[in-house]
Amino acid sequence: MDEELRSLTERLRQESGASAAYDRLVATEDLDELAEVLTAPGQPLWARELAAFRLGLAGDRRAFESLVLLLNHRDPQRCVSAAHALARLGDPRTARAAAALATNELRVAYALLPVRLLVELRAPEAVPALITTLERRLRPHDPYRRVALACVEGLGELGDTRARRVLNEALAHPALAEAAVRALARIPRQRGGSRRAGSDSRGGDAPDA
């Protein structure tokens, strides 16, 4: 069993009170039955989450909307499970949705998992979204240091030269400086070198305007 699925089922078993409905959703191999849970009225949140997660692991795109909503949920455990399923769903809309959530200042408290998902997907939307989110987190007294740190680490992993400017700015923030040094060390300095997916066509270290 997928380790994240194991963790989710244990959590939702308690949330559901180990009901017969829970046992049925865990056991069924009928994707249509799972999809019906997402549209049927009156379904509890645990049932929708379980159905969406299992559909996501199966690559069934009917789970997309529900998983995106869970990715931005106030419960971090639901966000973790949704990100895991979205990374495996294979829906081309996922990166755009994650970028929108990561850069939504009204929901920045819940941006951590969208940021991490963008890094995992390595889609073209990832670098611009992480740069935008990190720039906002460099304001004085910003309380969302975990989000900022995830952006710094993610930009280092993506290795795109467009991130060099904002990572240099992050060096001035003690909570981010060490991670920024490591991230900058992973970004190529040479002009015209190979760049990863999501980069623009220009070489060099100059950031986008």
Side-chain angles (χ1 to χ4, degrees):
M1 178 186 290
D2 180 283
E3 185 58 34
E4 187 60 39
L5 176 58
R6 186 189 308 277
S7 175
L8 176 137
T9 53
E10 290 175 356
R11 171 169 58 85
L12 296 186
R13 178 182 292 110
Q14 296 181 9
E15 192 172 325
S16 70
S19 64
Y22 165 84
D23 290 337
R24 185 176 68 253
L25 288 179
V26 168
T28 185
E29 298 298 330
D30 186 343
L31 298 184
D32 289 337
E33 180 179 356
L34 293 171
E36 287 174 6
V37 174
L38 302 182
T39 58
Q43 293 293 323
L45 180 57
W46 65 260
R48 296 185 187 277
E49 182 181 2
L50 179 54
F53 187 89
R54 294 200 60 205
L55 287 168
L57 293 190
D60 190 314
R61 293 180 182 179
R62 288 177 290 183
F64 175 76
E65 288 82 2
S66 296
L67 289 173
V68 170
L69 289 173
L70 290 167
L71 181 64
N72 201 226
H73 198 275
R74 63 180 179 275
D75 184 343
Q77 290 181 303
R78 299 197 197 280
C79 298
V80 169
S81 296
H84 182 82
L86 281 166
R88 288 148 184 81
L89 177 60
D91 193 303
R93 299 170 291 176
T94 299
R96 185 167 62 252
L101 294 176
T103 56
N104 183 352
E105 280 294 283
L106 297 178
R107 301 287 293 176
V108 64
Y110 310 105
L112 181 62
L113 270 299
V115 165
R116 290 177 175 170
L117 177 58
L118 282 168
V119 176
E120 184 173 359
L121 294 173
R122 309 184 81 85
E125 293 88 347
V127 171
L130 266 63
I131 289 174
T132 296
T133 304
L134 180 55
E135 285 174 337
R136 295 169 178 170
R137 306 283 66 80
L138 298 181
R139 297 165 182 165
H141 312 299
D142 185 86
Y144 304 108
R145 282 302 181 213
R146 291 186 67 201
V147 174
L149 184 59
C151 289
V152 169
E153 293 172 343
L155 288 169
E157 183 173 339
L158 293 170
D160 192 297
T161 57
R162 290 174 293 174
R164 185 171 293 281
R165 176 185 55 80
V166 72
L167 289 173
N168 277 316
E169 293 174 3
L171 293 172
H173 297 258
L176 304 175
E178 185 177 344
V181 168
R182 292 195 299 267
L184 284 164
R186 302 179 70 177
I187 295 178
R189 289 181 175 275
Q190 68 273 17
R191 300 186 65 85
S194 61
R195 288 147 60 92
R196 303 196 181 189
S199 301
D200 62 16
S201 60
R202 295 173 294 171
D205 295 342
D208 285 352

